[in-house]
Amino acid sequence: MEAAASALNKSGSGGSERSSSDEKGMFEYFGWVYHLGVNSIGHEYCHLRFLFIRGKNVFMYKRDPHDNPGIKPIRQGVVGPTLMVEELGRRKVNNGDVYVLRFYNRLDEAKKGEIACATAGEARGWIEAFDHAKQQFQVIQLGIQFKLTYSWINLEGHRPRVRRYARGLRKLIRIGQGPETLLRQSSKLAVRPDAFEGDSGDALEAHKWKCVLTTAGIRIFEDVSDRKNGKGVLAKSVGVIDATADTVFEVILNTDQRQRYEWDILMCDLELVESYDGHYDVVYGTYDPKYLSRWHSKQDFVFSRQWFRGQDGAYTILQFPAIHKKKPQRSGYRRAKINPSAWEIRNLNTPMGLNSPRCLVTHTLEVDSSSWHQWKKSQCSKFERTVPYALLSQVAGLKEYITANPILHQEYATTIVHPKSSDGSISSGEYEDEVQDEFYDAIAAESSSSDEESDDDDDKNYEKGPRVKLKNVSWAITTLALKRTAAPVLSEELDPHVTPVTINPSDLRGSLHEGKDDNDTNCWTSPSGKGFMIRGKNYLKDNSKVVGGDPLLRLIAVDWFTVEQSVDKIALHPRCLVQSEAGKKLPFILVINLQVPAKPNYSLVLYFAADRPVNKDSLLAKFVNGSDAFRDSRFKLIPSIVEGYWMVKRAVGTKACLLGKAVTCKYFRQDNFLEIDVDIGSSSVARGVIGLVLGYVTNIVVDLAILIEAKEEEELPEYILGTVRLNRLKPETAVPLEV
């Protein structure tokens, strides 16, 4: 453990790199990680290991194979389509903070393991790399069955003393085209009516920002919309920082006093009280307001922080006032209640010819309305001596601090991706037959059976070699004219040769009633798609998005159940409308079962119906009848909090999410329906967000749009499958469902 501890105290776990071989175009990603686990006698270990992804194969070494030709891996396996990678967030290991990733098989969660990275950027890079390797596993031919064998790479605990094989022959139908590029992201965005520079959401928001002050390289905005977002005025400071989003995120979360003294005039004396699930902690702090006002006494405060990273690489940090039994009010101090605030950090495009990364940093908080309006009315400088101004000025402090400390770029920025030829020290033939056997948790024949059981790493004295320092890829945001193109022709998605059936809503009822108007509560409605931005016809050329049209499927009912445990295949339950006589007569029903973790658990079941059968040659048919891997890569949801507390809006966001990559989704195709069971509790990030939403659910209005992501030119423009608006739900009205 001492070797691991010393490794954790180094500058990081090492860089990661992708390379594409000239010989076979094989995808590669490799670098140093920490392997976490428990050995056979119950001792926890943390060993520095070299992880290597090549194509669909994964290898773990004690040394860098580039510097040690012929070295045998201590673990190896194939990344199959059932692999799930969950980001567990920050964890304290041997007095060092690391970012932990959990691997598990969604068909058998007993097969799991953990690795850790020194920075959030490295963790993000490995998530993307495993996702790409997973796609490499899939067969790229259309409509042909291939017999494939696959196995699972297990990183948990000690390896058994004998080789264990898990042989399984499976048929995989790959519907659609080949794997997408690893880091394909939007470089151009359409300008939305509500757009603010750097925003990349896929739903329209009601905020109306007006710049009221510019100072120290930042701008301060006020939300001048008529909507009520909280108890006070909503303000935000915005600045562009010459660093990656990963770097800024690390600096903001760091509670080191010496570092914070250099950029934070208010919240610099901080102490971490307690960490919870890797994405949530409680912090105690003190400050002397003499720099703001000589009439105030010293103050202390407690606040909670909750953070998560979106699929686009942007970070969100939510900060709430809190209380904690370990930190009562300090003698001689006055307990202060900090303003609720949110940090949003998003990478920006690096102009051609420049290699320096840039990101847009936004700090939003509530300001007491009386003092804010008094400052605006008198136009005096007193606002600049207030706590809210000090909080807003944190962006300026960050900007100057990072500019003055270029070493931070090397310390935190670790994820550039660039092509290079494969290293000659590792021959391509070495990998051709090493993972031909199907096995689980395989052991190389020459390796010792106690490689991971020993707490003493026998490689603790070897020199790892220079750490690969890499930069994060940032992407362009180029403004284009808003393209309000007409909705795509949807007649091809449903069979045009069949006469549409009449859908009678009175025959199809769920436990949650349909709302009559916007003032109705604890109900659902189906809004149009005009509040969402989706991929346009030319998206693959200019990344432009257009305003959505009317949904293809009709929302016919919503069930709001409370259950003891999460229920899969809910469409087979006798109380489900799919089993009713009217439901059986419908040509096609899409059932979305959102499994909400809580006490008790909830199931929000959405029923979308088609008035004609699905066209067998359509993208919808490929999704409905395709493989789970194809569905995971296409099933997309766009959320939008239409009304509600602004912090909930920031937590939920408006960015489209591929649900199959964010949480575990199970698919069930039978008769005239497809059911998708979405396990929100399978992700610690999703659990945190849904927990926040449930705390305000009776006061929020949320819109959801369901789509199949279009990735090929013939699939564009995108269309919206279905929409739902949930208006101020009451948890106590959920109907018990007995299974």
Side-chain angles (χ1 to χ4, degrees):
M1 295 296 283
E2 293 179 358
S6 62
L8 280 169
N9 290 327
K10 297 177 182 178
S11 60
S13 63
S16 305
E17 181 178 348
R18 186 191 77 172
S19 62
S20 180
S21 171
D22 291 336
E23 182 181 352
K24 293 186 178 182
M26 184 71 72
F27 167 80
E28 293 181 356
Y29 198 90
F30 47 82
W32 292 97
V33 299
Y34 300 110
H35 182 200
L36 309 180
V38 180
N39 62 20
S40 58
I41 59 175
H43 288 177
E44 294 183 354
Y45 60 78
C46 174
H47 290 160
L48 197 60
R49 295 290 182 247
F50 193 89
L51 200 61
F52 198 125
I53 300 177
R54 181 179 174 87
K56 65 181 186 298
N57 303 321
V58 185
F59 310 90
M60 179 178 284
Y61 299 89
K62 285 190 173 184
R63 298 181 180 89
D64 186 343
H66 300 91
D67 301 331
N68 299 270
I71 187 174
K72 298 296 182 180
I74 60 172
R75 292 173 183 271
Q76 57 190 30
V78 175
V79 178
T82 57
L83 168 71
M84 299 297 292
V85 183
E86 180 183 3
E87 189 175 4
L88 299 183
R90 294 213 310 181
R91 182 187 300 175
K92 187 77 71 175
V93 178
N94 297 334
N95 299 318
D97 287 324
V98 293
Y99 292 83
V100 181
L101 301 179
R102 181 172 78 100
F103 301 87
Y104 65 93
N105 188 329
R106 69 178 180 184
L107 300 181
D108 182 3
E109 293 197 24
K111 300 178 180 181
K112 59 186 179 181
E114 290 183 352
I115 65 171
C117 307
T119 69
E122 288 180 14
R124 174 166 56 87
W126 282 110
I127 291 174
E128 292 167 343
F130 270 96
D131 180 62
H132 193 75
K134 194 163 136 182
Q135 295 179 49
Q136 293 262 320
F137 185 88
Q138 300 168 7
V139 181
I140 311 176
Q141 287 182 260
L142 183 64
I144 303 177
Q145 291 189 5
F146 290 84
K147 292 185 177 181
L148 297 177
T149 58
Y150 77 95
S151 68
W152 171 252
I153 177 170
N154 179 30
L155 299 177
E156 183 197 41
H158 66 285
R159 295 184 296 108
R161 299 180 181 277
V162 296
R163 182 176 296 184
R164 296 190 303 175
Y165 292 88
R167 302 180 181 274
L169 192 63
R170 290 182 176 265
K171 295 179 180 179
L172 176 66
I173 303 176
R174 174 69 171 118
I175 296 181
Q177 302 300 318
E180 59 179 338
T181 57
L182 175 66
L183 290 175
R184 178 179 180 181
Q185 299 184 18
S186 300
S187 60
K188 299 180 181 178
L189 297 174
V191 177
R192 305 170 349 206
D194 67 324
F196 182 81
E197 59 193 297
D199 287 349
S200 60
D202 295 311
L204 306 182
E205 290 190 281
H207 293 299
K208 190 175 182 180
W209 297 105
K210 179 181 179 182
C211 183
V212 295
L213 182 66
T214 58
T215 178
I218 64 169
R219 291 167 296 157
I220 296 179
F221 291 80
E222 175 190 5
D223 182 11
V224 295
S225 63
D226 295 331
R227 293 179 180 266
K228 299 293 185 181
N229 296 293
K231 298 179 180 179
V233 174
L234 207 57
K236 71 177 180 181
S237 57
V238 180
V240 175
I241 297 180
D242 294 331
T244 65
D246 300 325
T247 298
V248 176
F249 170 75
E250 297 280 357
V251 173
I252 293 174
L253 281 194
N254 198 328
T255 58
D256 179 69
Q257 185 188 71
R258 289 182 299 176
Q259 186 181 96
R260 296 194 76 96
Y261 267 21
E262 294 194 44
W263 67 271
D264 193 345
I265 67 173
L266 192 67
M267 303 172 69
C268 48
D269 291 302
L270 299 181
E271 174 190 346
L272 183 63
V273 179
E274 195 166 359
S275 295
Y276 293 94
D277 62 357
H279 297 274
Y280 185 91
D281 62 21
V282 176
V283 178
Y284 171 79
T286 61
Y287 76 93
D288 189 342
K290 64 183 179 181
Y291 301 108
L292 301 176
S293 173
R294 60 184 177 183
W295 306 112
H296 292 165
S297 61
K298 293 182 179 181
Q299 300 184 21
D300 67 350
F301 53 88
V302 180
F303 67 98
S304 64
R305 303 185 300 185
Q306 184 178 5
W307 59 87
F308 36 87
R309 179 182 57 83
Q311 290 181 336
D312 60 346
Y315 292 95
T316 301
I317 306 173
L318 305 179
Q319 298 179 162
F320 293 93
I323 57 175
H324 198 282
K325 61 182 180 180
K326 293 182 181 179
K327 288 297 177 182
Q329 182 176 334
R330 181 179 294 187
S331 177
Y333 284 73
R334 181 170 64 88
R335 176 55 56 94
K337 183 179 180 181
I338 70 165
N339 302 62
S341 62
W343 291 89
E344 293 168 280
I345 313 153
R346 187 182 306 278
N347 284 317
L348 293 178
N349 173 55
T350 300
M352 295 294 293
L354 296 180
N355 294 322
S356 58
R358 299 161 69 241
C359 67
L360 186 74
V361 180
T362 303
H363 190 198
T364 308
L365 71 152
E366 285 184 29
V367 181
D368 180 71
S369 58
S370 60
S371 59
W372 178 266
H373 293 305
Q374 184 179 2
W375 165 73
K376 288 180 61 180
K377 184 178 180 180
S378 61
Q379 292 296 316
C380 65
S381 60
K382 289 184 178 180
F383 177 65
E384 298 178 4
R385 306 283 293 181
T386 63
V387 169
Y389 179 78
L391 291 172
L392 291 171
S393 297
Q394 287 178 317
V395 176
L398 270 173
K399 182 183 178 75
E400 294 301 318
Y401 171 68
I402 292 177
T403 301
N405 291 271
I407 189 64
L408 292 171
H409 297 278
Q410 284 88 33
E411 184 174 350
Y412 295 126
T414 57
T415 54
I416 194 169
V417 176
H418 64 84
K420 68 180 271 292
S421 299
S422 294
D423 195 309
S425 63
I426 305 179
S427 64
S428 59
E430 180 182 338
Y431 294 96
E432 288 180 356
D433 55 3
E434 62 204 345
V435 199
Q436 293 301 314
D437 289 330
E438 307 77 47
F439 49 82
Y440 168 68
D441 197 17
I443 303 174
E446 293 80 9
S447 65
S448 168
S449 63
S450 58
D451 280 333
E452 294 292 1
E453 292 192 7
S454 173
D455 287 337
D456 297 322
D457 196 333
D458 61 359
D459 295 309
K460 61 185 178 182
N461 294 321
Y462 82 88
E463 294 184 4
K464 189 177 64 176
R467 177 183 173 188
V468 182
K469 291 296 180 182
L470 307 164
K471 294 182 298 183
N472 194 36
V473 179
S474 54
W475 301 86
I477 298 182
T478 305
T479 56
L480 299 172
L482 178 62
K483 299 181 179 180
R484 292 184 177 273
T485 60
V489 179
L490 300 181
S491 58
E492 297 179 358
E493 293 298 303
L494 302 179
D495 193 337
H497 305 295
V498 176
T499 303
V501 301
T502 300
I503 300 178
N504 189 354
S506 60
D507 297 334
L508 303 161
R509 296 183 180 275
S511 59
L512 191 68
H513 77 277
E514 183 177 5
K516 299 177 181 178
D517 53 45
D518 292 339
N519 296 322
D520 205 354
T521 61
N522 196 39
C523 63
W524 64 269
T525 57
S526 182
S528 71
K530 294 181 179 179
F532 303 95
M533 302 294 294
I534 60 177
R535 296 182 176 186
K537 182 63 178 176
N538 298 319
Y539 180 81
L540 296 181
K541 299 176 181 178
D542 58 18
N543 297 100
S544 60
K545 294 186 178 182
V546 299
V547 175
D550 292 331
L552 173 68
L553 306 180
R554 178 176 176 178
L555 181 62
I556 56 175
V558 175
D559 273 324
W560 181 222
F561 293 132
T562 176
V563 293
E564 290 295 328
Q565 295 180 340
S566 296
V567 179
D568 295 333
K569 299 181 180 180
I570 203 166
L572 298 181
H573 196 279
R575 291 184 57 179
C576 179
L577 70 81
V578 176
Q579 301 302 318
S580 66
E581 290 301 320
K584 292 178 180 179
K585 295 179 181 178
L586 294 175
F588 175 72
I589 304 175
L590 176 63
V591 182
I592 309 293
N593 178 19
L594 299 176
Q595 300 169 343
V596 182
K599 294 182 179 180
N601 295 307
Y602 297 96
S603 271
L604 182 69
V605 190
L606 313 175
Y607 304 93
F608 298 95
D611 57 4
R612 288 172 291 159
V614 177
N615 188 340
K616 64 180 181 179
D617 297 322
S618 66
L619 176 61
L620 179 57
K622 293 179 181 180
F623 180 82
V624 170
N625 301 314
S627 66
D628 288 354
F630 178 75
R631 292 161 174 162
D632 279 345
S633 67
R634 298 300 189 97
F635 180 38
K636 187 160 72 174
L637 178 142
I638 304 176
S640 175
I641 302 295
V642 180
E643 295 182 20
Y645 186 40
W646 71 272
M647 289 285 276
V648 179
K649 292 184 179 182
R650 287 294 176 268
V652 174
T654 58
K655 187 67 179 175
C657 173
L658 288 172
L659 282 182
K661 294 184 178 181
V663 297
T664 300
C665 294
K666 298 178 182 178
Y667 306 88
F668 179 55
R669 177 76 169 105
Q670 182 172 305
D671 300 331
N672 67 332
F673 70 88
L674 169 67
E675 178 178 334
I676 306 178
D677 299 313
V678 182
D679 183 7
I680 299 176
S682 62
S683 164
S684 59
V685 174
R687 285 196 303 270
V689 173
I690 202 67
L692 178 63
V693 171
L694 286 175
Y696 294 88
V697 69
T698 58
N699 294 309
I700 64 174
V701 178
V702 57
D703 283 359
L704 302 176
I706 306 296
L707 301 87
I708 303 173
E709 183 168 86
K711 294 184 178 180
E712 307 300 330
E713 188 170 357
E714 60 270 18
E715 299 169 351
L716 292 170
E718 280 183 338
Y719 61 88
I720 296 177
L721 267 181
T723 64
V724 61
R725 171 169 292 178
L726 302 169
N727 196 341
R728 299 176 176 86
L729 296 187
K730 297 178 181 179
E732 64 273 13
T733 63
V735 178
L737 182 69
E738 295 182 2
V739 180

